[in-house]
Amino acid sequence: MSRPSWDDYFLKMTMLVAERSTCLRHHVGAVLVRDRRVLATGYNGAARGQKDCLELGCLRDEQGIESGTRHEVCRAIHAEQNAIIQASLHGVSTAGATMYCTHSPCLICAKIIVNAGIERVVSFNEYSDKNTSDLFREAGIRIDVCPMPDPVITFKA
């Protein structure tokens, strides 16, 4: 058994974080890391103290909104946004960090990532939105798409 690379290690964490999601469409997880230390995590879900899609149903499904469009019509805050918010709430700087994500960020999250000073984004999904890729390139943010790590946890007890 070989040890996972650092990217695989943190990408695997994003899958665990995503298990907390309250979205009926996609479970998304994000992990903010600097110097191989976890700064904050986030998953997609309703605003603090608010009812979520598990309880109320999906607004996007009810309105027939296609995936990847009209992000503003949703109860959930995106995982990337929640990770940055958690860092902020706890006084943790995101400057120079790497954002690991289960899914490639939308353009809204990409703009927030740029302003948060994050220098690298790693995902195991392709960046389908050309606008996100263009923004990251213009902002000097490194984008890496890695193979999805094996979701099975292996350890010796």
Side-chain angles (χ1 to χ4, degrees):
M1 179 171 94
S2 64
R3 293 173 70 192
S5 69
W6 286 108
D7 283 345
D8 282 349
Y9 176 72
F10 291 119
L11 282 173
K12 208 167 194 173
M13 277 187 194
T14 67
M15 292 187 280
L16 178 62
V17 171
E19 287 186 346
R20 293 278 308 150
S21 171
T22 59
C23 179
L24 297 172
R25 286 186 170 197
H26 301 288
H27 288 186
V28 182
V31 176
L32 269 170
V33 174
R34 188 176 46 245
D35 299 326
R36 298 185 200 157
R37 297 191 192 285
V38 174
L39 304 175
T41 64
Y43 53 87
N44 56 331
R48 181 186 312 232
Q50 303 303 302
K51 292 182 179 182
D52 58 42
C53 295
L54 297 176
E55 194 172 345
L56 298 174
C58 177
L59 284 174
R60 296 172 61 77
D61 283 346
E62 291 166 11
Q63 295 181 24
I65 298 170
E66 279 186 55
S67 184
T69 64
R70 303 211 40 225
H71 297 289
E72 74 282 2
V73 180
C74 184
R75 287 187 178 88
I77 298 167
H78 289 190
E80 302 92 332
Q81 295 169 14
N82 268 327
I84 292 167
I85 290 165
Q86 287 304 307
S88 174
L89 281 172
H90 298 286
V92 177
S93 172
T94 57
T98 295
M99 170 81 70
Y100 289 89
C101 311
T102 55
H103 293 65
S104 58
C106 69
L107 184 58
I108 295 166
C109 287
K111 290 188 256 185
I112 294 169
I113 287 167
V114 169
N115 274 10
I118 294 166
E119 294 181 353
R120 181 177 178 232
V121 176
V122 183
S123 179
F124 50 79
N125 284 302
E126 289 293 328
Y127 291 80
S128 57
D129 185 345
K130 184 179 178 329
N131 294 316
T132 293
S133 298
D134 288 347
L135 176 64
F136 282 163
R137 190 172 23 267
E138 289 170 20
I141 294 176
R142 183 175 151 197
I143 305 169
D144 291 311
V145 179
C146 300
M148 182 174 146
D150 184 348
V152 175
I153 303 292
T154 57
F155 68 99
K156 294 186 184 235

